[in-house]
């Protein structure tokens, strides 16, 4: 393919234009991403630019194209993983530019957000250990931590039981991190509800303003425990009631 030939040229201007073209083509419909990923030689030629020595004007579009391809269908991600993209991305988490670290974490979040098999590959590479170290480092920029949070969230949601055990075994602080977030949902949300009750009043003292943050947790309000019923929500409401009891202030 022409794009593959262009990626092997030495003219920097041609390389920059070609890499940006690939990033534009891969940022769209699944069909386009499959065409780019499935073109023989494209991904192997693309990932050679994913290293710490690559000039920024080449690394930026190459990393964007790689990340875009990882947002596509699982088949597109399969192509990239089979070419060893994880090992090419990992060193970029140590890049001196926070923008590159953010884009790299975003690329990993797309892999973690794919199918369980892809989550397993990431765990095998131990990239989650590096991501967690960065997340706990106070010097890591907030925009990078945000993308790392998506990596961890996707890893937890998309993992099999065995991989979930691996996550907790390697770093049980994940549990503490999750519980801290849940605690803030109740603490801050209940405080806001108290403020609303004091400032707005209530016709019925037995009806408390809902905790507005619980929608982010389960998609239910506190009073839904009473107002909603049905077997399909019984377990859901029970978990919410348990949490409300644990973090009652």
């Amino acid at each position: 393919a022409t794009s593959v030939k262009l990626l092997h040229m030495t003219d920097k201007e041609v390389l920059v234009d070609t890499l940006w073209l690939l990033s534009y083509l891969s940022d769209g419909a699944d069909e386009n991403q499959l065409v780019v990923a499935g073109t023989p030689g494209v991904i192997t030629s693309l990932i050679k630019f994913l290293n710490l020595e690559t000039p920024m004007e080449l690394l930026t579009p190459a990393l964007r194209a790689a990340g875009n391809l990882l947002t596509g269908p699982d088949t597109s991600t399969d192509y990239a993983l089979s070419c060893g993209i994880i090992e090419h991305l990992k060193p970029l988490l140590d890049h001196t530019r926070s923008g590159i670290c953010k884009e790299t974490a975003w690329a990993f979040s797309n892999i973690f957000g794919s199918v369980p098999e892809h989550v397993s590959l990431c765990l095998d590479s131990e990239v989650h250990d590096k991501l967690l170290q960065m997340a706990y480092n106070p010097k890591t920029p907030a925009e990078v931590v945000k993308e790392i949070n998506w990596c961890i969230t996707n890893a937890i949601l998309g993992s099999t039981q065995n991989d979930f055990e691996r996550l907790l075994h390697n770093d049980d602080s994940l549990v503490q991190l999750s519980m801290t977030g849940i605690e803030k949902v109740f603490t801050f949300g209940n405080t806001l509800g108290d403020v609303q009750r004091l400032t707005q009043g209530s016709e019925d003292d037995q009806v408390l303003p809902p905790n507005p943050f619980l929608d982010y947790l389960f998609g239910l309000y506190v009073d839904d425990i009473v107002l909603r019923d049905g077997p399909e929500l019984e377990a859901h409401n029970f978990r919410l009631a348990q949490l409300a009891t644990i973090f009652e202030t």
Side-chain angles (χ1 to χ4, degrees):
T2 303
S3 58
V4 176
K5 294 179 180 179
L6 293 175
L7 289 175
H8 285 86
M9 297 186 67
T10 57
D11 188 308
K12 181 177 290 187
E13 185 174 347
V14 173
L15 289 173
V16 169
D17 290 341
T18 303
L19 289 169
W20 277 117
L21 174 62
L22 288 175
S23 74
Y24 296 142
L25 290 175
S26 58
D27 184 18
D30 289 352
E31 294 78 10
N32 294 340
Q33 293 172 327
L34 286 172
V35 169
V36 174
T39 301
V42 167
I43 290 184
T44 53
S45 300
L46 177 65
I47 62 177
K48 73 177 184 180
F49 294 99
L50 303 180
N51 64 76
L52 295 173
E53 285 71 40
T54 300
M56 284 293 295
E57 59 265 36
L58 296 176
L59 177 57
T60 299
L63 183 54
R64 177 61 59 84
N68 286 341
L69 290 174
L70 294 171
T71 67
D74 295 336
T75 305
S76 175
T77 305
D78 282 334
Y79 288 145
L81 293 175
S82 66
C83 293
I85 195 169
I86 290 179
E87 295 306 319
H88 283 81
L89 286 172
K90 278 179 63 177
L92 296 181
L93 291 171
D94 289 317
H95 203 279
T96 56
R97 297 288 187 91
S98 62
I100 295 299
C101 295
K102 175 186 176 182
E103 289 278 318
T104 304
W106 169 68
F108 274 119
S109 75
N110 294 330
I111 302 176
F112 277 116
S114 187
V115 295
E117 291 78 11
H118 296 164
V119 174
S120 293
L121 287 174
C122 284
L123 297 183
D124 290 342
S125 73
E126 299 182 346
V127 68
H128 60 292
D129 289 335
K130 173 64 177 177
L131 291 168
L132 285 169
Q133 291 172 10
M134 295 174 66
Y136 296 141
N137 187 340
K139 295 183 180 180
T140 302
E143 63 270 19
V144 178
V145 174
K146 179 180 178 181
E147 297 300 333
I148 294 174
N149 286 340
W150 278 113
C151 290
I152 303 305
T153 299
N154 289 341
I156 292 173
L157 294 177
S159 62
T160 62
Q161 179 177 335
N162 287 338
D163 284 338
F164 184 66
E165 291 175 355
R166 290 168 64 187
L167 276 169
L168 296 186
H169 177 73
N170 288 346
D171 195 335
D172 57 10
S173 60
L174 279 176
V175 176
Q176 182 61 43
L177 187 64
S178 300
M179 296 302 286
T180 300
I182 294 173
E183 181 177 10
K184 287 188 175 183
V185 167
F186 282 97
T187 302
F188 295 159
N190 290 345
T191 300
L192 182 58
D194 289 339
V195 171
Q196 290 175 347
R197 183 173 66 253
L198 292 173
T199 57
Q200 300 174 10
S202 174
E203 296 180 0
D204 186 347
D205 291 337
Q206 300 303 313
V207 179
L208 299 179
N211 180 328
F213 297 147
L214 286 179
D215 265 356
Y216 297 110
L217 192 60
F218 290 125
L220 296 171
Y221 287 113
V222 169
D223 55 349
D224 286 332
I225 298 174
V226 177
L227 297 179
R228 296 188 183 185
D229 53 19
E232 71 280 1
L233 287 174
E234 184 176 346
H236 206 161
N237 288 337
F238 178 70
R239 291 200 307 274
L240 184 57
Q242 283 184 312
L243 287 170
T245 300
I246 293 172
F247 296 113
E248 189 175 24
T249 58

